Amino acid sequence: MKDVEERYRQRYLDLLLNKEVRKVFEKRSQIIKLLRRYLDKHGFLEVKTPALQPIYGGATARPFITHHNALDIDLYLRISDELYLKRLIVGGFQKVYEICTDFRNEGIDRWHNPEFSQLEFYWVYADYQDLMEMTEEMLSGIVKEVTGSLKVNYGGQEIDFSTSWERLTFRDAILEKTGIDIDRQKTADKLKKAIKEKKIEVELKEIRDVPGILDGLYKAIIRPNILKPTFIIDHPYLMRPLAKRHDDNPGKVESFQLIVAGAELINAYSELNDPQDQGKRWQEDMKRARKGVEEYQVLDEDYIRALEYGMPPTAGWGLGIDRFTAILTDKHSLKETILFPTLRPEK
């Protein structure tokens, strides 16, 4: 059975005929067990939060909308469980995590499926520096146990998961590759002009705002060229509405993404726990929406109320399980690590 789409569509035959496929999903199960074991060992409590939410939040993405007949209200399939997990931190829990399915109404490609598996955790009195140290220890240990080595073959290239991974600021990453200093080009028009002058090929025609342009530039030029585990840190605050600002540089936030083989595996940051700042950030995103931006974060007044009761300094972390599995099993697409990926209707 060789036809890729038929393999996904008739996964039962794929599993029967291709033993290697079964091994991928056995390794996926092992990875999830190891993630859970690590967090349980370090005092985290596993919890469950709603998949149906009256207000979607925790990420910048378009949601799926459904309707509850008995209550006669529209609900959203969660795009993230972040805001509910942080409500639990407000309620007194110190370490919580959830392994869940999230849903985002977005395009489908090798790294994206409308529903995907994610691990999120939140840790009181930690910051993003603590998270980077923990990430290296956790993932390198799992890589070694799953593959038998810290060096993994992916797409014919060797990826070394030994610790002491590179840390590169978002500004420096773009400056090194493009020669554009984003700290000096602070408006959308100036950024587009600089990109045009540098003759950088990136599609920005429909993008009207600074966060969108920076994200498009980063995804087109920076991320695809990163092979080894690399932390991209300290994003502009406009790109991370839920992250805490740097005390000495309020234009940047305490954040990181872990990039491996051109894919974002982890998004993490020191959490914003100032209700006034959080409200202002969301208002800024709502203004972007009124200007025609498709993906934005909405104001959640109950979450603001929770912050007003007081959330201690907290660090939060999210891992894409499907992508991590794809890299450890040398699969080009995360569809190879999802038993029943979303497909076009059968003709």
Side-chain angles (χ1 to χ4, degrees), residues 43-44 88-89 92-96 122-125 312 314:
F44 286 80
L88 298 181
I89 297 297
F93 289 108
Q94 303 236 326
K95 293 181 176 181
V96 294
Y122 293 83
W123 178 12
V124 169
Y125 304 119
T314 301

Side-chain angles (χ1 to χ4, degrees), residues 181-334:
D181 186 347
I182 63 172
D183 285 355
R184 295 187 177 185
Q185 315 297 336
K186 294 187 177 182
T187 68
D189 289 340
K190 287 183 178 180
L191 270 173
K192 284 189 173 182
K193 182 180 178 182
I195 291 169
K196 186 176 181 180
E197 288 175 349
K198 297 289 184 179
K199 298 180 180 180
I200 298 170
E201 294 185 10
V202 53
E203 182 54 57
L204 298 172
K205 186 177 180 181
E206 301 299 324
I207 301 177
R208 305 178 179 89
D209 63 337
V210 170
I213 295 170
L214 292 177
D215 190 55
L217 184 62
Y218 165 71
K219 289 177 178 177
I221 307 299
I222 311 304
R223 192 174 68 186
N225 296 307
I226 296 175
L227 176 65
K228 64 181 182 179
T230 302
F231 292 115
I232 301 297
I233 67 173
D234 299 345
H235 295 76
Y237 89 94
L238 288 171
M239 300 182 73
R240 294 290 182 273
L242 293 161
K244 182 180 179 181
R245 298 176 193 256
H246 274 282
D247 289 336
D248 57 350
N249 187 355
K252 300 293 194 313
V253 293
E254 297 183 357
S255 62
F256 75 80
Q257 289 176 307
L258 176 65
I259 310 301
V260 181
E264 176 194 327
L265 292 190
I266 293 170
N267 189 33
Y269 38 80
S270 305
E271 301 296 333
L272 176 58
N273 60 348
D274 179 338
Q276 292 182 330
D277 193 5
Q278 185 63 81
K280 290 176 182 177
R281 302 263 203 105
W282 274 336
Q283 292 290 356
E284 287 178 357
D285 251 33
M286 299 294 282
K287 289 179 182 177
R288 294 174 60 229
R290 289 192 287 271
K291 293 179 180 178
V293 174
E294 290 187 347
E295 295 185 355
Y296 57 92
Q297 296 199 21
V298 297
L299 175 64
D300 185 336
E301 292 182 352
D302 178 69
Y303 179 71
I304 296 293
R305 179 168 56 191
L307 291 183
E308 288 172 347
Y309 280 96
M311 185 175 82
T314 301
W317 184 98
L319 165 72
I321 293 172
D322 312 306
R323 294 177 183 177
F324 188 38
T325 303
I327 288 172
L328 295 197
T329 56
D330 192 17
K331 296 302 176 186
H332 177 75
S333 169
L334 57 72

Side-chain angles (χ1 to χ4, degrees), residues 14-29:
D14 190 25
L15 293 166
L16 282 171
L17 298 175
N18 298 321
K19 292 182 180 180
E20 290 301 315
V21 173
R22 292 205 301 274
K23 290 181 181 179
V24 169
F25 291 102
E26 288 167 359
K27 284 195 174 183
R28 176 193 168 98
S29 179

Side-chain angles (χ1 to χ4, degrees), residues 103-122:
F103 307 85
R104 296 181 184 176
N105 199 347
E106 59 190 6
I108 299 175
D109 59 33
R110 63 177 291 210
W111 292 124
H112 294 87
N113 192 67
E115 57 177 302
F116 59 96
S117 297
Q118 186 164 244
L119 163 63
E120 285 196 46
F121 72 74
Y122 293 83

Side-chain angles (χ1 to χ4, degrees), residues 30-240:
Q30 181 188 13
I31 289 167
I32 293 172
K33 288 177 182 177
L34 292 172
L35 288 166
R36 182 176 275 118
R37 186 178 75 183
Y38 182 94
L39 292 174
D40 290 345
K41 181 180 177 181
H42 287 78
F44 286 80
L45 176 71
E46 185 172 8
V47 298
K48 290 297 178 186
T49 61
L52 291 174
Q53 302 178 351
I55 299 176
Y56 66 93
T60 303
R62 283 176 290 180
F64 288 96
I65 305 172
T66 188
H67 187 79
H68 189 283
N69 291 333
L71 295 178
D72 192 25
I73 58 172
D74 285 340
L75 294 169
Y76 302 94
L77 292 178
R78 68 178 164 208
I79 60 174
S80 168
D81 47 357
E82 175 169 342
L83 300 186
Y84 282 90
L85 290 174
K86 290 196 288 192
R87 284 174 169 92
L88 298 181
I89 297 297
V90 172
F93 289 108
Q94 303 236 326
K95 293 181 176 181
V96 294
Y97 76 93
E98 182 172 14
I99 297 173
C100 69
T101 301
D102 290 329
F103 307 85
R104 296 181 184 176
N105 199 347
E106 59 190 6
I108 299 175
D109 59 33
R110 63 177 291 210
W111 292 124
H112 294 87
N113 192 67
E115 57 177 302
F116 59 96
S117 297
Q118 186 164 244
L119 163 63
E120 285 196 46
F121 72 74
Y122 293 83
W123 178 12
V124 169
Y125 304 119
D127 63 17
Y128 81 131
Q129 298 285 353
D130 299 312
L131 291 183
M132 282 187 275
E133 293 179 12
M134 181 178 178
T135 298
E136 290 190 23
E137 178 186 84
M138 181 198 303
L139 295 198
S140 61
I142 291 173
V143 168
K144 182 69 180 294
E145 191 153 351
V146 172
T147 69
S149 173
L150 287 173
K151 295 180 179 179
V152 174
N153 179 71
Y154 182 74
Q157 296 179 294
E158 185 180 84
I159 301 175
D160 190 350
F161 279 90
S162 302
T163 53
S164 298
W165 301 341
E166 183 178 0
R167 301 183 184 188
L168 187 64
T169 69
F170 186 86
R171 171 187 176 261
D172 288 346
I174 291 180
L175 184 61
E176 286 181 11
K177 286 289 183 180
T178 69
I180 297 173
D181 186 347
I182 63 172
D183 285 355
R184 295 187 177 185
Q185 315 297 336
K186 294 187 177 182
T187 68
D189 289 340
K190 287 183 178 180
L191 270 173
K192 284 189 173 182
K193 182 180 178 182
I195 291 169
K196 186 176 181 180
E197 288 175 349
K198 297 289 184 179
K199 298 180 180 180
I200 298 170
E201 294 185 10
V202 53
E203 182 54 57
L204 298 172
K205 186 177 180 181
E206 301 299 324
I207 301 177
R208 305 178 179 89
D209 63 337
V210 170
I213 295 170
L214 292 177
D215 190 55
L217 184 62
Y218 165 71
K219 289 177 178 177
I221 307 299
I222 311 304
R223 192 174 68 186
N225 296 307
I226 296 175
L227 176 65
K228 64 181 182 179
T230 302
F231 292 115
I232 301 297
I233 67 173
D234 299 345
H235 295 76
Y237 89 94
L238 288 171
M239 300 182 73
R240 294 290 182 273

